[in-house]
Amino acid sequence: MEQNTQNSTNITNGNIRISDDVLATITGVSATEIDGVAALAKTFTGDLKGLISNKRETKGIKVEISSDEKISVDISLIVYYGRKIPDIAADVQENVYKNLTSMTGYTVDKINVTVAGIIFEKPEKSAE
């Protein structure tokens, strides 16, 4: 019995690592939850960086973890025309910060938001 208890203790004292892909997914879902965000924007520059460096990107999101485990996030968004872009960006930053810190326990150092495009909403067709 004691040997099993010893093994359990060793396991709970191990390291926990959350992958960059998981952090990027949390970021992406958090960003698209905000009213006014149409989609994440994938940029050619981001794709090229992903091929050259070891940093992971998920469609319009770049996540970096510093040596002291602080997260920095870059997000590229497409927003709907006619909405207040600074308000949308601030809401995205707030929601991403809240979800990353609560779900991972990591410290979020910065969240950079780039609005890379605008989409015009199609007017709804009336049922006449």
Side-chain angles (χ1 to χ4, degrees):
M1 279 279 194
E2 285 184 32
Q3 190 174 12
N4 288 339
T5 305
Q6 182 81 17
N7 288 338
S8 296
T9 303
N10 287 340
I11 292 170
T12 59
N13 288 332
N15 293 323
I16 298 172
R17 173 79 168 103
I18 301 170
S19 77
D20 293 354
D21 288 337
V22 170
L23 297 172
T25 299
I26 292 169
T27 299
V29 171
S30 300
T32 56
E33 288 176 340
I34 300 303
D35 185 43
V37 174
L40 299 173
K42 188 165 188 169
T43 61
F44 178 76
T45 306
D47 291 343
L48 187 59
K49 283 183 194 173
L51 292 173
I52 295 171
S53 73
N54 292 329
K55 298 171 188 162
R56 297 246 183 231
E57 290 200 11
T58 300
K59 189 179 175 184
I61 299 170
K62 180 174 70 174
V63 176
E64 295 182 41
I65 303 174
S66 65
S67 58
D68 57 350
E69 296 199 355
K70 290 184 180 177
I71 301 173
S72 295
V73 178
D74 293 320
I75 310 168
S76 293
L77 302 174
I78 298 171
V79 298
Y80 288 111
Y81 178 80
R83 311 287 175 91
K84 290 188 173 186
I85 294 173
D87 291 349
I88 293 170
D91 289 346
V92 166
Q93 288 175 317
E94 184 179 324
N95 202 42
V96 168
Y97 178 86
K98 177 188 74 167
N99 288 330
L100 280 175
T101 56
S102 69
M103 290 184 201
T104 68
Y106 285 142
T107 300
V108 178
D109 186 36
K110 59 184 168 183
I111 301 168
N112 300 312
V113 177
T114 300
V115 176
I118 289 183
I119 287 182
F120 294 89
E121 293 181 83
K122 294 180 181 179
E124 293 183 28
K125 294 182 180 180
S126 60
E128 290 181 31

